């Protein structure tokens, strides 16, 4: 008996897999008429479907059952991070953070940023793959590069944190802070390898962001990003328990 495979289909009612998914289904997995598969629309619903017809680049199906999913956590988990010079480290972060579970990822252009442009399409493919692998019902929202100043001015709701290493700006532990007051929406900003500038930290604090640390260890950018996502998720699990 074949294992039921999951496919990302943003428009499931169309009745055919997107071409890249269809090629994988037909040429790699060798699905054929009558085989069952699971579709995910990235918006909270799974679909049990049955293959009706295949060609080398097409895979048609009929929907057998619609299965709306309950959210696994309340509120929004949002990571905003300055991308590293080597994009494979950001790709690793996007994959692992998706597996852990988060809702939104924004890339920041900061004073000490090593990278000021990026191609979001590669990150999107990796996130889609991680969504299927971890069987998440919701696709995280991916936002392109945004300037630091513009970002802190446009995000004014929910719990907002900026993680940094400056001793001259008092910090509290992020995980301890997340557990206070039943935090729902949570946003954490992570700086580049050289950290945010001190002026950026002060600007964020003046805008209402809470100054935090992620523990005693000094972390690389992508590690700090994943730790922040895990802390947000763990805090939500405790809140929902």
């Amino acid at each position: 008996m074949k294992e039921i495979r999951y496919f990302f289909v943003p428009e499931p009612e169309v009745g055919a897999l997107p071409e890249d998914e269809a090629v994988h289904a037909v040429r790699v997995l060798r699905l054929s008429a009558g085989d069952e598969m699971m579709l995910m629309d990235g918006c909270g619903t799974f679909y049990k479907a049955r293959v009706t017809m295949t060609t080398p680049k097409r895979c048609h199906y009929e929907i057998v059952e619609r299965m709306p999913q309950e959210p696994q956590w309340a509120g929004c988990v949002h990571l905003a991070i300055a991308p590293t010079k080597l994009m494979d480290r950001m790709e690793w972060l996007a994959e692992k953070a998706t597996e852990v579970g988060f809702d939104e990822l924004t890339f920041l252009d900061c004073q000490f940023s090593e990278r000021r442009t990026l191609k979001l399409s590669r990150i999107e493919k990796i996130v889609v793959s991680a969504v299927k692998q971890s069987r998440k019902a919701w696709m995280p929202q991916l936002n392109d590069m945004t300037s630091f100043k513009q970002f802190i001015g446009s995000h004014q709701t929910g719990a907002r944190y900026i993680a940094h290493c400056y001793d001259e700006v008092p910090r509290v532990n992020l995980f301890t802070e997340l557990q206070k007051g039943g935090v729902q929406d949570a946003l954490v900003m992570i700086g580049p390898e050289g950290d945010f500038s001190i002026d950026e930290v002060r600007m964020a604090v003046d805008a209402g962001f809470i100054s935090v640390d992620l523990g005693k260890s000094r972390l690389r950018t992508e590690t700090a990003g994943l730790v922040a996502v895990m802390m947000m998720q763990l805090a939500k699990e405790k809140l929902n328990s």
Side-chain angles (χ1 to χ4, degrees), residues 94-120:
E95 177 184 67
K96 301 310 174 187
T98 301
E99 292 175 9
V100 171
F102 73 146
D103 299 289
E104 190 169 355
L105 174 62
T106 299
F107 292 102
L108 297 174
D109 182 5
C110 304
Q111 183 174 341
F112 299 149
S113 286
E114 300 175 293
R115 174 181 289 274
R116 301 190 184 279
T117 61
L118 55 77
K119 292 183 178 179
L120 210 57

Side-chain angles (χ1 to χ4, degrees), residues 180-197:
K180 295 180 180 178
V183 170
Q184 293 294 321
D185 295 344
L187 158 65
V188 177
M189 291 197 300
I190 303 294
E193 286 297 317
D195 207 341
F196 296 108
S197 71

Side-chain angles (χ1 to χ4, degrees), residues 143-187:
N143 303 319
D144 211 339
M145 191 80 76
T146 304
S147 73
F148 177 90
K149 185 175 182 179
Q150 179 182 354
F151 183 80
I152 64 170
S154 62
H155 287 74
Q156 302 297 332
T157 60
R160 301 174 298 155
Y161 307 97
I162 180 168
H164 64 89
C165 299
Y166 291 102
D167 292 333
E168 53 263 56
V169 180
R171 292 164 291 165
V172 294
N173 180 262
L174 173 62
F175 190 61
T176 301
E177 193 69 22
L178 283 166
Q179 297 178 84
K180 295 180 180 178
V183 170
Q184 293 294 321
D185 295 344
L187 158 65

Side-chain angles (χ1 to χ4, degrees), residues 14-80:
V14 171
L17 294 180
E19 185 173 330
D20 56 340
E21 294 279 44
V23 169
H24 183 69
V26 176
R27 296 186 180 179
V28 179
L29 302 178
R30 300 188 180 280
L31 296 187
S32 57
D35 287 335
E36 291 188 343
M37 58 185 177
M38 294 291 290
L39 314 178
M40 44 184 38
D41 62 7
C43 298
T45 302
F46 290 158
Y47 302 79
K48 184 181 289 185
R50 183 179 297 112
V51 178
T52 57
M53 184 184 72
T54 63
T55 69
K57 291 186 178 182
R58 303 287 289 176
C59 182
H60 295 268
Y61 58 80
E62 60 180 357
I63 294 175
V64 176
E65 183 181 359
R66 292 166 178 80
M67 297 176 288
Q69 303 296 300
E70 290 292 329
Q72 295 181 324
W73 58 86
C76 177
V77 174
H78 186 174
L79 175 67

